[in-house]
Amino acid sequence: MGKITIGIIGAGRIGRLHATNIAPLSNVRIKAISDIYIDSVEEWAKQIGIETVTTNYQDILNDPEIDAVFICSPTSTHISIIQEAALAGKHIFCEKPISFSVEETQRVLEIVKEAGIKLQVGFNRRFDPNFKKVHDTVKNGVVGEPHILKITARDPEPPPADYIKNSGGLFFDMAIHDYDLARYVVGSEVEEVYVQAANLIDPIFSELGDVDTALTVLKFENGTIGVIDNSRKAVYGYDQRLEVFGSNGSVSAQNEHPTNVEISTSNGVIKDPLKHFFLDRYKEAYMIETHAFIDSVINDKPLVCVGNDGLQAELIAKAAKESLETGKPVKIRRKVLN
C-alpha cells in the first residue's frame, strides 16, 4: 500500500489539528470528515481539500475506500466507534483516553485484536522530541538504573465548566498523559499508586466532583519511584517538565519558550514567557504522532503507542481516583493485552 485514504470522526479542535497536519502529505487522502455540527465545518474542510463532510460518522465506516479513521470525538463515543471501525476493518487512531471505564476498554481491545487491525492511542507526549530523548537516554542506560522520576504538568488556566463536567476528571483527562509518559520513560509498569489532591483554584471543580491540584506517587515494578504534580492553573504559562534520576546520573527536559533569548541588564534577566498551551508546546509532537501512524499503516510497521498503553494509563488513573477516595495506596490489578 503506497497511499492511504482516511476519514476523520470529530471536527473539533483536535480533529481539525490532525486534519491540518495530515492534509499536505502526498501519500494521504482525507476523503471525509464527520461532525454533528456541520455548518462550521464545510468551508474549512473545502479549503484543505477534504472531499466529503457528513453528520453521520457511519458514512465514513461504510466507505470501502477508507483504510483508516481518526477518532477525535468526545470520549463517551470512543468505545462504540472503535468497535464499529474494527468490525469494518479500518485501522484506528483514537484520541486519549480510550474510555472512562477500564472494563469497557478491555472489552473493545479484545475486539480490535480479533479484527487484526492497528490501533494507536493519541498520547502525543511520547512523540515530543525532548521527552523522546529522555526516554532514549534512559533506555540506553546512560543514567544507569532509574531511581526517581519527576513529572510536572500544569495548565495555564482552568477549562470551562462545560468541559470539566464531561472530562472524566483530572486523573482521566489531564494526568493520564503523565501516567503514560511515566511508563514510557521508565520502561516499567506501575504497581502501586498513591494520591493527595485538593481544590485550591476554583470551587467549580469541587461542585462538579473533581479536583484541580494533585500529587501522584507511583511505585514501579523495577523499583523506580515516580512523583507527578498536576495543577489546572499556573499563572506563568504551560509548565511541562520531566526528569529521571538514576544510578549513574540524571536526564531532564525543561520548559519550552518561543525563543531562547535572554536579556540581561542591571534590572535583572528577562526571557520569553513559557509557550501558552498544548497546541503550541506540542505542535511538533502532534505532527510526528500522526505521521508515525500513517507510516505504520502504509508500511506495516509496529506502533509506538498501542491499545494496551491506553489500558495501562487508565488502570493508573482508576487507581489514582480510588487512592484519593480511600486515602490509601492502591495496588494495580493489571490485565495486559497485546
Side-chain angles (χ1 to χ4, degrees), residues 102-177:
V102 168
E103 294 72 24
E104 283 293 287
T105 296
Q106 290 175 334
R107 181 184 65 80
V108 83
L109 290 183
E110 292 287 1
I111 294 171
V112 167
K113 184 178 179 180
E114 290 173 12
I117 54 92
K118 295 180 183 290
L119 167 62
Q120 179 171 319
V121 182
F123 284 123
N124 63 294
R125 295 181 193 184
R126 289 178 175 235
F127 298 87
D128 174 75
N130 302 297
F131 294 162
K132 185 180 184 303
K133 186 167 184 178
V134 172
H135 163 271
D136 293 348
T137 300
V138 174
K139 185 177 181 180
N140 292 333
V142 177
V143 297
E145 294 297 321
H147 290 177
I148 298 172
L149 165 80
K150 292 183 179 179
I151 297 176
T152 292
R154 304 168 186 164
D155 288 348
E157 57 192 28
D162 286 346
Y163 180 90
I164 299 168
K165 195 181 304 180
N166 299 305
S167 70
L170 182 143
F171 302 116
F172 271 88
D173 173 55
M174 182 184 183
I176 199 165
H177 272 295

Side-chain angles (χ1 to χ4, degrees), residues 18 22 43 89 93 96-97 105 113 152 157 179 190 192 211 214 223 231-232 262 267 281 290 294 307 325 331 336:
H18 288 321
I22 295 167
E43 184 60 33
F93 178 101
K96 65 80 198 170
T105 296
K113 184 178 179 180
T152 292
E157 57 192 28
Y179 299 153
V190 173
E192 186 175 275
V211 294
S231 173
R232 286 292 195 179
E262 289 187 358
N267 295 321
R281 171 61 181 82
T290 53
I294 290 162
E325 291 166 0
K331 295 283 187 182
V336 177

